[in-house]
Every structure is written in structure tokens, then in C-alpha cells.
Amino acid sequence: MNRKITIIIPVYNSAKFLHKTLKAVDEQRKESQWDLELVLVEDGSPDISFEVVEKLAREYNYIKGVKLSRNFGHQIAVRTGLSYATGDYIAIIDDDLQDPPSLLPRFFDQLEQGYEVVYGIRKKRKEDRLKKMAYTSFYRILSSISDTKIPLDSGDFCVMTKNVKDKMLTLNEQNPYLRGIRAWVGFKQIGLEYERSGRIEGESGYSLKKLVKIAKDGIFSFSSIPLQIISILGNLGLLISIVFTLFTIFRYFNNEIEVAGYTTIIIMIMFFSSILLISLGIIGEYIYRIYNEVRNRPHTIIEKTIN
């Protein structure tokens, strides 16, 4: 295959095992005879990950190292890697070998056959049952409410052509949801099933807070359903108000109105206050995202680069 290959790996807290990932990449490079460019984006790790990247760059001359000034998040780190990629074919994998480089030749074969994007579909996951249930539920909810058809059970692990990479980078969003953007740009795409491996070492850098942020980015960036929920809640509140008004009038003409009515008033106040707060929260989320876009800050601050 006479194509230049770029592999992008976001690096976070992986100083202890990054050399194992690089060894696996290099073994596959030799076996497949790739003209390889490896972009390692160190996302503000609290450990010495970038020092390890610097050391590995002296051992493997095809490494490009990028150190971000702080932790900007996985999606931003991957997007930064895309901006440094110069290959004809670009792959995105994790730093923990859950998406092993040995899978890539099968994915690149599909690009050779005319596809522009090949994404991985996770057949089995090694997380606990609760996490697996949460992931499965989220992907299906997002798919059902999204204005863009986002493939089920597909993560960031994928390969794409330079053309698709360039088109994705034209979407200058402050809170990018890359698998959604990948689906939005279109072109000829196909998914390949694979069994996702367990981490080789350490714990995932995805905390609950980060997972929730990615979920919100997916929902608010690719669906208008949250705004429609406000209308539904408003109509529901109006319907309940009408029913309650008719009930009150009926009781009035039957001389059943009690002077107290404390419980009823409290229930109605709590109900409508809840609807108002939920609605304001949803509107506030969209306003905050609009504000982020208008500020037009750079996605990242690059502290240092190698090669």
C-alpha cells in the first residue's frame, strides 16, 4: 500500500505503559510496511507522559509529539491531532491498546476498496455491567433523537481519508463531538465489528464528569429534542391547568370549595416551578454553547511540540 499513514493517539496518564503501545504500533508498521507518521497528543497529564513521549521520539523517528498546556479533554486532543496529520489515510486509536493497531490493516483495506471512513463497532466491552448498560442506552437514545444518523456502538476508533479529515476540520466547534461530526460530513462510510480489548494497564481517564460532558456534547450538538421538550412540558402544564380549573369551577358550583386549599396550592406551585427550572436549564445550556462559539477562543494552547 503506497499511502502515507498517520495514526493519532491522545495521551493521558499513560507514562507507565505508553512504550507498550508504541511497540505494538511499530510491530504492525514493520509487518504492513507502512510509511508511518505517529501523532501523540499529550493532554495535560498530571504524570510524566510527555517526558515519555520525548524519550520515545528519540527511539522512533516517525513520532510527532504535541503537548497541550492543560487538560482540554479527549475530543479536543483528538481534534488537535487531526490538525497535525499529513497522511493519506488517518487512524485514531487510544493509548491503552483497547483498539489494537493489529486491527488497522483490515480497516485500511476498506479504504482501498473505495470507502472514505471505516469506523469500529464495539461487539463486546470489558467494562462492568452498569457502564455497559449506560453506554448502550446512551448510543440508542442519541440515535433516536439525533438529526444526524450516528452509528450505534461506534467510538472514536476509526480510519479515514485525508479528504474527510480536512472536511471535519472545517467545522470549528468549541465542543466537538467527533463521532457525530464524522457522521455529519457524510461520504461513503462503513462499520466493522471488533471485540474491544481490556486496558493493558491503569485506569480510564474518562471520569463520570467527562463522560457526562461528552454525552451532553453529543445530544446538544446533534439534536433539537431538548428544546422541543420545553414545548411538551409547557403543553403538559397547560393541560393540567385547564383540568384543574374545570375541577375548581365544578367544586365552586357544588359549594365544595374549602377555605384552606394549602396542599393544592403547594403542589401546583412546585409542579410549575419545576417545569420552569427544567426549561430554563435547557435554554441556558444552548445559550452557554452559543456564547462559547461567539467568543471564538482557540481550541487548545500548544505548550510544546516535537518533530
Side-chain angles (χ1 to χ4, degrees):
M1 181 171 62
N2 295 322
R3 308 274 189 178
K4 182 178 181 180
I5 303 294
T6 297
I7 298 178
I8 297 167
I9 303 180
V11 175
Y12 185 78
N13 261 5
S14 53
K16 293 180 180 178
F17 57 84
L18 190 59
H19 65 282
K20 297 179 183 178
T21 304
L22 266 291
K23 184 179 178 183
V25 169
D26 196 59
E27 286 174 355
Q28 192 58 53
R29 176 191 69 86
K30 291 173 181 174
E31 182 180 328
S32 301
Q33 298 182 328
W34 288 335
D35 175 13
L36 180 63
E37 169 188 73
L38 183 63
V39 181
L40 302 177
V41 183
E42 196 278 317
D43 188 24
S45 299
D47 66 0
I48 58 168
S49 289
F50 194 71
E51 292 177 28
V52 174
V53 170
E54 290 179 309
K55 180 181 177 182
L56 290 169
R58 292 191 289 270
E59 186 177 347
Y60 304 100
N61 60 10
Y62 50 78
I63 285 179
K64 282 184 178 179
V66 181
K67 178 175 174 56
L68 306 186
S69 61
R70 64 171 177 84
N71 179 233
F72 284 87
H74 180 271
Q75 299 290 285
I76 294 292
V78 174
R79 191 190 186 284
T80 302
L82 288 173
S83 68
Y84 279 89
T86 62
D88 301 303
Y89 291 165
I90 295 99
I92 300 169
I93 66 174
D94 283 339
D95 61 357
D96 54 14
L97 288 182
Q98 285 190 288
D99 309 316
S102 58
L103 294 172
L104 292 176
R106 183 163 66 102
F107 281 61
F108 287 136
D109 284 345
Q110 295 296 319
L111 295 185
E112 289 288 298
Q113 293 176 30
Y115 288 96
E116 296 266 7
V117 175
V118 187
Y119 52 85
I121 300 174
R122 295 159 178 170
K123 194 164 55 174
K124 291 183 181 178
R125 306 184 69 115
K126 297 298 187 289
E127 290 91 353
D128 61 74
R129 185 175 298 180
L130 187 62
K131 256 193 174 181
K132 285 193 283 189
M133 197 187 328
Y135 283 127
T136 301
S137 301
F138 167 70
Y139 285 127
R140 277 145 188 81
I141 290 170
L142 180 60
S143 178
S144 64
I145 68 175
S146 176
D147 303 323
T148 302
K149 187 177 179 182
I150 301 174
L152 293 174
D153 303 319
S154 67
D156 294 317
F157 174 49
C158 68
V159 301
M160 67 186 76
T161 61
K162 185 177 184 298
N163 180 42
V164 172
K165 182 265 296 186
D166 291 340
K167 296 299 185 293
M168 286 178 65
L169 289 176
T170 62
L171 277 69
N172 200 31
E173 298 181 10
Q174 294 295 317
N175 298 285
Y177 182 66
L178 293 176
R179 62 202 75 168
I181 291 173
R182 187 181 68 206
W184 186 88
V185 297
F187 299 101
K188 192 176 180 182
Q189 304 195 13
I190 189 173
L192 294 182
E193 286 191 343
Y194 75 105
E195 187 171 332
R196 188 168 167 84
S197 305
R199 291 178 62 88
I200 52 172
E201 198 173 324
E203 296 181 358
S204 174
Y206 273 124
S207 62
L208 178 61
K209 182 180 177 182
K210 289 180 179 179
L211 289 171
V212 169
K213 183 186 182 304
I214 290 178
K216 285 167 62 179
D217 288 341
I219 291 170
F220 286 102
S221 296
F222 290 92
S223 176
S224 59
I225 288 293
L227 286 173
Q228 295 173 33
I229 288 174
I230 295 177
S231 298
I232 294 170
L233 290 174
N235 291 328
L236 177 63
L238 177 61
L239 178 62
I240 291 173
S241 300
I242 291 171
V243 171
F244 185 73
T245 301
L246 293 174
F247 176 67
T248 304
I249 292 171
F250 173 78
R251 292 186 67 199
Y252 174 78
F253 283 110
N254 283 276
N255 297 316
E256 296 177 7
I257 294 292
E258 300 173 2
V259 177
Y262 176 79
T263 304
T264 304
I265 291 172
I266 290 298
I267 290 172
M268 295 301 291
I269 289 174
M270 289 176 66
F271 176 77
F272 286 107
S273 296
S274 299
I275 288 179
L276 284 171
L277 289 172
I278 291 170
S279 302
L280 285 172
I282 293 171
I283 293 171
E285 184 69 41
Y286 278 101
I287 291 173
Y288 173 72
R289 288 167 184 273
I290 292 169
Y291 175 58
N292 263 347
E293 299 296 333
V294 170
R295 284 188 301 186
N296 199 29
R297 288 180 177 174
H299 290 92
T300 51
I301 301 297
I302 308 298
E303 182 179 328
K304 191 176 181 182
T305 59
I306 303 170
N307 299 334

